[in-house]
């Protein structure tokens, strides 16, 4: 240590105080949305299984389980996504169902 240094190694900052704050985390988790299929009396079970495979990437076993859950309980979760991805899935399901003239309904709600 230099005996002639009056700051003794500390920053020389007369009349000011230095405050060091940790930076706020820069990334917030986006809100997530459940995409749901709704039951109806007319859409064939096989078509719903096909939708779950094509649009939600499920294998046949999982797609069949979800389809039966929708069929018996009235609605079921196809997946959880960010808003834009969820919205796109809903639009894809609705377009595909209409192309095939089925009344299948798909909707989205914020996940808790
Ligand atoms: N309830 C339909 C039937 O008995 C099958 C079905 C399942 C329809 C799931 C829609 O989201 C659905 N053919």
């Amino acid at each position: 240590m230099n005996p002639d240094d009056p700051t003794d190694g500390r920053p020389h900052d007369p009349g000011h105080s230095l405050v060091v704050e940790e930076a706020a985390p820069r990334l917030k988790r986006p809100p997530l949305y459940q995409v749901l299929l709704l039951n109806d009396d007319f859409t064939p079970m096989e078509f719903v299984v096909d939708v779950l495979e094509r649009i939600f990437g499920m294998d046949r076993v999982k797609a069949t389980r979800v389809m039966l859950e929708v069929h018996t309980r009235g609605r079921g979760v196809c997946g959880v996504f960010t808003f834009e991805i969820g919205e796109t899935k809903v639009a894809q399901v609705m377009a595909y169902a209409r192309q095939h003239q089925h009344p299948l309904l798909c909707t989205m709600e914020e996940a808790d």
Side-chain angles (χ1 to χ4, degrees):
M1 189 59 58
N2 176 0
D4 298 327
D5 178 2
T7 69
D8 200 24
R10 284 173 281 113
H12 185 53
D13 186 25
H16 298 277
S17 55
L18 292 176
V19 177
V20 176
E21 286 183 61
E22 203 167 298
R26 289 176 308 115
L27 298 175
K28 276 206 301 205
R29 281 179 220 287
L32 295 177
Y33 296 82
Q34 293 183 326
V35 170
L36 302 152
L37 274 185
L38 305 184
N39 189 37
D40 67 73
D41 293 337
F42 305 102
T43 305
M45 290 183 175
E46 181 53 38
F47 183 80
V48 178
V49 171
D50 178 39
V51 163
L52 291 165
E53 290 177 331
R54 262 173 204 276
I55 298 173
F56 297 94
M58 294 182 195
D59 63 30
R60 184 152 293 242
V61 171
K62 173 123 198 258
T64 302
R65 198 186 308 132
V66 172
M67 181 280 293
L68 286 173
E69 155 131 356
V70 178
H71 176 70
T72 56
R73 301 170 74 100
R75 52 190 251 158
V77 178
C78 309
V80 176
F81 307 97
T82 57
F83 185 86
E84 278 192 301
I85 306 261
E87 197 180 44
T88 302
K89 300 279 185 195
V90 170
Q92 288 173 334
V93 172
M94 298 301 283
Y96 189 56
R98 293 311 164 260
Q99 258 173 48
H100 292 267
Q101 301 181 322
H102 296 310
L104 181 63
L105 288 177
C106 185
T107 181
M108 192 168 92
E109 58 184 49
E110 192 166 352
D112 19 54

